[in-house]
Amino acid sequence: MELLEKLESNGRLGFEDGVKLYDLDIYTLGKYADRRRKELYGKKSFFNINRHINPTNICKDICKFCAFSANRKNPNPYTMSHDEILSIVEDASKRGIKEVHIVSAHNDKVPLEWYMGIFKKIKRNFPHIHIKALTAAEVNFLAKEHGMGYQELIDLMVQSGVDSMPGGGAEIFDEEVRDFICKGKVSSQEWLQIHRLWHKSGRKSNATMLFGHIESRAHRIDHMLRLRNLQDETGGFNCFIPLIYQRQNNYLKVEDFVTGQEYLKTIAIARILLDNIPHIKAYWATTTLNLALVAQEFGADDLDGTIEHESIQSAAGAGSRNGVALDEFVALIKDSGFTPVERDSLYNELKVW
Ligand code: V47
């Protein structure tokens, strides 16, 4: 069957089809992606009121794309105390946050209890706040560092108060590209296995894809299809998040920045290919707010949240260090022609703004 016929009939697309989607013009792709988005959510755009916290930047691993971890280019190592973290959460809770998103580097200078204690203390003091924490890269690091199996560590995360897992550490699954950009970190198989086990423990997670560096379009399609396969098996992914690679202050020498068109095509393709992952997130910390708003027309239905403070993408050049004020965020979504819907971390609707 021809590609356009498959798109018309909402048929499931394979690898070759996926690669060919990039050759379609942006309007055709956008039309099909937007049709699917509208069938699912109409003009609703989801966001949450959240706080990102990055408790330490000391990292045992070296990823060429990373500008966040303390290294020769960024010689400012830090590790927050639990009291510091709790006071950030307390302050943010006054502004009504419903979620903390906690992603750290792979710090071998602190005990496992330093990581788990963060979650226990937040849960004890702020039981209403959803804790989205520990990427599969962190889970892999902690399990190996402390001689534990993945399942054992996952059980400990659950006991300590982690509610869901963020999608970081996926980067690009293709083994050759992965070997070049983040050799030694969690492998693709391990990343998928950790999410499989997490889903089988009855929990939800997200999945990211870091793109716009040395990967090809085919690598992106391969990445998405590996996620679709796991989602067929577990159904545990809430959302897919393509992250645009930010190129400052790191060791990966990439001159070209991904274009807005390439980003919008990638969002549209994700919406079309990932027929089993309900939400596609335009993560404004890597796109700028304006491009994320345009992505709503190309299949994205989720804009992450207010973030408040962000250290990973902003270290590499993104303008997201200070988050965005809630009233400004809501006004921008409305002005762009969409309906801002505040959600909780599991996508239950809390308020139509
Ligand atoms: O995995 C690192 C990325 C990720 C760069 O689950 C970079 O809702 C761009 O987990 N340019 C961590 N990206 C962030 C993460 C996340 C973010 C937003 C939403 C969610 C979610 C999860 O940050 C890492 C890596 O891929 N990253 N360096 C860079 N130079």
Side-chain angles (χ1 to χ4, degrees), residues 65 101 132 166-169 171 206 210 241 246 281 283 313 316:
F65 54 78
H101 164 119
K132 169 155 65 91
E171 324 310 359
N206 295 336
L210 181 68
I241 313 152
Q246 311 291 309
K281 183 184 286 189
Y283 184 50
Q313 272 76 25

Side-chain angles (χ1 to χ4, degrees), residues 52 65-68 99 101 103 132 135 137 165-171 185 205-210 239 241 243-248 250 281 283 286 302 304 310 312-313 316 343 347:
H52 283 216
F65 54 78
C66 182
F68 166 64
E99 171 192 284
H101 164 119
V103 171
K132 169 155 65 91
T135 67
M165 274 178 66
E171 324 310 359
K185 195 162 88 166
S205 69
N206 295 336
T208 56
M209 172 177 78
L210 181 68
C239 101
I241 313 152
L243 300 170
I244 299 180
Y245 164 68
Q246 311 291 309
R247 63 194 161 164
Q248 289 177 24
N250 65 41
K281 183 184 286 189
Y283 184 50
T286 66
D302 184 40
D304 197 83
E310 196 281 325
I312 299 180
Q313 272 76 25
R343 60 163 175 83
Y347 289 84

Side-chain angles (χ1 to χ4, degrees), residues 10 45 50 78 108 110 126 129 138 149 158 179 182 191 204 210 232 239 248 274 280 286 306 312 315 330 348:
N10 268 350
S45 261
N50 63 352
Y78 72 82
D108 58 354
V110 290
F126 308 94
I129 294 182
E138 291 171 86
V158 171
D179 228 35
C182 54
W191 192 97
K204 295 287 184 180
L210 181 68
D232 276 342
C239 101
Q248 289 177 24
L274 298 177
I280 305 294
T286 66
T306 44
I312 299 180
V330 165
N348 298 302

Side-chain angles (χ1 to χ4, degrees), residues 160-346:
S160 304
V162 177
D163 297 298
S164 66
M165 274 178 66
E171 324 310 359
I172 278 281
F173 289 143
D174 177 81
E175 279 71 14
E176 219 175 299
V177 176
R178 198 172 183 85
D179 228 35
F180 184 76
I181 64 173
C182 54
K183 196 175 174 60
K185 195 162 88 166
V186 64
S187 73
S188 307
Q189 288 306 320
E190 289 166 337
W191 192 97
L192 291 163
Q193 176 63 4
I194 290 165
H195 281 264
R196 178 181 288 110
L197 293 172
W198 181 254
H199 297 166
K200 291 195 169 160
S201 75
R203 304 276 163 151
K204 295 287 184 180
S205 69
N206 295 336
T208 56
M209 172 177 78
L210 181 68
F211 78 110
H213 43 88
I214 61 160
E215 88 296 346
S216 66
R217 288 170 163 181
H219 292 137
R220 296 177 206 156
I221 301 299
D222 167 65
H223 186 96
M224 292 185 215
L225 292 183
R226 292 198 209 190
L227 290 172
R228 191 175 75 183
N229 287 343
L230 180 56
Q231 182 74 343
D232 276 342
E233 190 187 320
T234 66
F237 288 119
N238 267 337
C239 101
F240 176 64
I241 313 152
L243 300 170
I244 299 180
Y245 164 68
Q246 311 291 309
R247 63 194 161 164
Q248 289 177 24
N249 309 322
N250 65 41
Y251 293 96
L252 194 60
K253 299 207 170 4
V254 176
E255 298 296 323
D256 303 324
F257 201 61
V258 107
T259 61
Q261 284 86 342
E262 191 71 5
Y263 176 69
L264 294 176
K265 280 190 171 189
T266 304
I267 284 283
I269 290 170
R271 168 59 71 203
I272 293 166
L273 266 191
L274 298 177
D275 51 9
N276 55 2
I277 298 188
H279 300 282
I280 305 294
K281 183 184 286 189
Y283 184 50
W284 63 265
T286 66
T287 58
T288 72
L289 267 166
N290 263 330
L291 186 57
L293 294 170
V294 179
Q296 298 172 110
E297 310 274 3
F298 287 79
D301 65 287
D302 184 40
L303 295 170
D304 197 83
T306 44
I307 296 179
E308 290 207 347
H309 188 88
E310 196 281 325
S311 305
I312 299 180
Q313 272 76 25
S314 55
S320 49
R321 183 165 296 282
N322 297 315
V324 59
L326 176 61
D327 50 354
E328 187 188 342
F329 202 39
V330 165
L332 282 170
I333 299 171
K334 282 188 182 166
D335 286 352
S336 68
F338 287 81
T339 309
V341 178
E342 184 189 336
R343 60 163 175 83
D344 68 11
S345 304
L346 301 174

